[in-house]
Amino acid sequence: MSHASALLVIDMQNGPVAIAHRAAETVAVIAGLRERATAAGIPVVTIQDRGAGLEAGTEGWRIVPELAPAAGESVVHKSSPDSFLGTDLDTVLKARGITEVIVTGFATEICVDTTARQALSHEYDLVLVADGHTTSVRPDSGEYAAPGRSIAHHNEIYRHLGFPGRSIRVLPASEVTFAAAE
């Protein structure tokens, strides 16, 4: 069976990035991955949330300029944390023969985690980019885990997550390789 990757960029919009932990660093990591993916002929799929506070056409809804989709790149609009639910993401990926998704974006414990798990359920192999996802800025104490701890926690969960018939890898961006259709 042939193997082909796609880079998913989830919810890297002005509104979410404005409240993101290590926003500039995460944007830079994803921008570097986009550049490498494009150079390798790997599709980049931008996922754009249309939830509360992210109404289409508003400044907060727009993708950050550094990650704006290029002409011809797929953009999938969603209204839930699951980038597959009620969208054409699965159709877009299958039409290109994609077998592995490389997941990046915002927010680690919500949209990134939900989309990554759904990708596995839709029979895609998974690469979670360890330094390519982030969450909101928040205090180090309180009901939620501190941002750095939340990111590290999710990376560790995916390092140990088993899913029948699926490959799951957690890699820093520097170790991500892009596989075009064989």
Side-chain angles (χ1 to χ4, degrees):
M1 180 176 187
S2 66
H3 178 74
S5 301
L7 176 64
L8 302 186
V9 179
I10 302 169
D11 298 352
M12 293 302 287
Q13 297 161 251
N14 289 326
V17 171
I19 62 166
H21 170 70
R22 296 178 37 97
E25 295 89 339
T26 306
V27 168
V29 164
I30 297 170
L33 284 167
R34 284 184 90 254
E35 185 176 309
R36 290 175 37 222
T38 301
I42 301 305
V44 176
V45 180
T46 299
I47 313 294
Q48 192 171 25
D49 194 356
R50 288 186 174 169
L54 295 172
E55 289 77 20
T58 63
E59 190 57 31
W61 172 80
R62 289 184 178 83
I63 303 296
V64 296
E66 302 90 336
L67 301 175
E73 285 184 0
S74 296
V75 178
V76 172
H77 297 103
K78 68 180 182 73
S79 58
S80 82
D82 177 356
S83 298
F84 289 90
L85 181 64
T87 73
D88 63 348
L89 179 57
D90 194 42
T91 301
V92 166
L93 296 173
K94 285 191 179 359
R96 294 176 175 250
I98 301 304
T99 60
E100 174 183 78
V101 292
I102 301 166
V103 175
T104 67
F106 182 92
T108 297
E109 61 280 283
I110 304 171
C111 299
V112 170
D113 179 61
T114 303
T115 298
R117 288 177 191 264
Q118 287 303 313
L120 293 165
S121 290
H122 281 83
E123 300 183 347
Y124 296 98
D125 291 332
L126 173 69
V127 175
L128 178 63
V129 182
D131 52 348
H133 62 96
T134 191
T135 191
S136 58
V137 172
R138 52 187 175 247
D140 286 343
S141 62
E143 295 296 315
Y144 292 103
R149 284 186 36 232
S150 181
I151 293 164
H153 173 82
H154 279 78
N155 287 341
E156 196 61 20
I157 285 173
Y158 278 90
R159 284 186 183 99
H160 298 284
L161 185 64
F163 210 93
R166 302 277 56 91
S167 166
I168 303 170
R169 297 178 293 150
V170 179
L171 301 172
S174 63
E175 294 179 18
V176 172
T177 57
F178 295 99
E182 296 171 350

